[in-house]
Amino acid sequence: MSDSQQNLRIAFAGDRDIAVAVLKRILADDIKPLALLLSDPAKASHANELTRMCSFLPPERILFGSQFRQPRGMELLQSLHLDFIIGVHFPYLVPPQVLSLPRLGVLNLHPAFLPYNRGWHTPSWAILEDTPIGASLHFMDEGIDTGDIVHQKRIEVSPEHTAHSLYEQLKELELTVFEEAWPRLLTGKFSRRRQDPSIGSEHGRRDLFQPEIQQIDLNVMVRAGDLLKTLRALTTNQINEAAYFEVDGKRYRVQVSLHEE
């Protein structure tokens, strides 16, 4: 490993099993994060595992929730003279004051083929809107997933995909995207490609929960293909994201299971 690789200074920000996989890849090259940014403990799924993987860090270098954008957190990150902050499913907006701290920038691994499906619930919207889907490693800027792309790959949505099964496949693709880009990040020989602002799509966290998206009106005729698309797109690992219909004041959620014969 070259001196430049050994001296790469990063902070790691993430959650979910994909963050664990990416951090494992980073540690395999003996690159140890100088700080760890985690989701709020009440909402995090893999904070304990990520913390164990970074047992070499003193407690004051582990920031939870929004601590990274508060004065103490920003002072810590500034003092570390970072090259990158690497984010993987880190569910917080990063303010300009933090974006400017690393020498080379803040990277984000996103389960979408940018510029399509910026924001939340990317597999659901890819199915609902027939948009391209994949995984992208990009620099963060002040927009929502609008920064320069370092590397990305695309996959096709199949008729058997639900949002949940597609998401599981996207996480595998995210790891591949990161592993392919990581050697270039280590050596500094990566390129940046600007996103085209005239194309793409974006959805907020609450967009999927609107009645016009989730509710099935039992008195309205629809094409079977359109109904099936909605059911597939809203079949996730969260029942409150599923399509629903109402009878006699009661709400019934609907999820589907698809199998190719």
Side-chain angles (χ1 to χ4, degrees):
M1 185 180 295
S2 69
D3 289 342
S4 63
Q5 290 174 318
Q6 290 177 329
N7 295 330
L8 190 69
R9 303 176 66 85
I10 70 166
F12 188 83
D15 197 20
R16 311 303 184 203
D17 51 355
I18 177 59
V20 171
V22 171
L23 181 55
K24 187 179 297 184
R25 178 65 187 87
I26 292 171
L27 292 172
D29 277 328
D30 201 29
I31 302 296
K32 295 182 177 180
L34 301 175
L36 184 63
L37 284 56
L38 300 171
S39 296
D40 185 287
K43 300 178 181 179
S45 64
H46 286 71
N48 290 339
E49 190 168 355
L50 292 167
T51 301
R52 286 195 298 270
M53 295 170 71
C54 291
S55 59
F56 48 83
L57 286 175
E60 62 270 19
R61 290 197 184 184
I62 300 177
L63 305 175
F64 292 93
S66 62
Q67 289 179 341
F68 76 97
R69 56 192 183 197
Q70 296 171 2
R72 184 184 75 83
M74 287 193 291
E75 288 174 10
L76 168 65
L77 295 174
Q78 185 175 32
S79 71
L80 297 175
H81 305 290
L82 299 168
D83 296 308
F84 292 112
I85 296 176
I86 298 176
V88 182
H89 291 225
F90 188 61
Y92 297 91
L93 292 175
V94 181
Q97 304 95 302
V98 177
L99 291 174
S100 64
L101 292 178
R103 181 176 65 89
L104 296 172
V106 180
L107 288 163
N108 182 51
L109 193 58
H110 184 56
F113 192 74
L114 295 174
Y116 298 96
N117 300 306
R118 301 181 179 114
W120 287 82
H121 299 114
T122 61
S124 292
W125 291 110
I127 294 173
L128 281 171
E129 299 180 337
D130 294 317
T131 46
I133 191 67
S136 302
L137 181 66
H138 69 99
F139 280 95
M140 297 183 73
D141 59 16
E142 295 182 38
I144 304 296
D145 300 319
T146 54
D148 294 353
I149 294 169
V150 176
H151 187 45
Q152 63 181 171
K153 295 178 81 74
R154 179 177 175 177
I155 58 174
E156 297 298 324
V157 177
S158 75
E160 68 199 59
H161 272 132
T162 63
H164 179 65
S165 65
L166 181 56
Y167 179 59
E168 293 300 312
Q169 190 172 344
L170 288 174
K171 287 189 293 182
E172 294 177 5
L173 187 65
E174 284 183 283
L175 181 58
T176 298
V177 164
F178 183 81
E179 289 178 333
E180 291 179 355
W182 179 235
R184 300 198 297 272
L185 297 174
L186 281 173
T187 61
K189 297 179 180 179
F190 59 88
S191 60
R192 303 172 60 140
R193 176 169 54 84
R194 294 187 62 185
Q195 295 189 46
D196 184 345
S198 68
I199 60 174
S201 57
E202 178 181 328
H203 292 284
R205 191 172 193 171
R206 297 181 182 274
D207 291 356
L208 199 70
F209 297 92
Q210 301 307 309
E212 59 267 27
I213 302 298
Q214 285 193 332
Q215 187 171 13
I216 300 170
D217 189 336
L218 299 180
N219 297 312
V220 173
M221 295 185 64
V222 297
R223 293 176 58 228
D226 292 337
L227 176 59
L228 182 57
K229 179 188 291 187
T230 296
L231 296 178
R232 290 167 52 219
L234 299 180
T235 295
T236 72
N237 65 341
Q238 301 291 327
I239 192 62
N240 68 324
E241 295 174 352
Y244 67 85
F245 63 90
E246 296 178 340
V247 176
D248 297 331
K250 296 181 179 180
R251 180 172 293 183
Y252 300 86
R253 296 281 181 176
V254 183
Q255 293 182 319
V256 294
S257 178
L258 302 165
H259 304 278
E260 181 183 1
E261 291 188 348

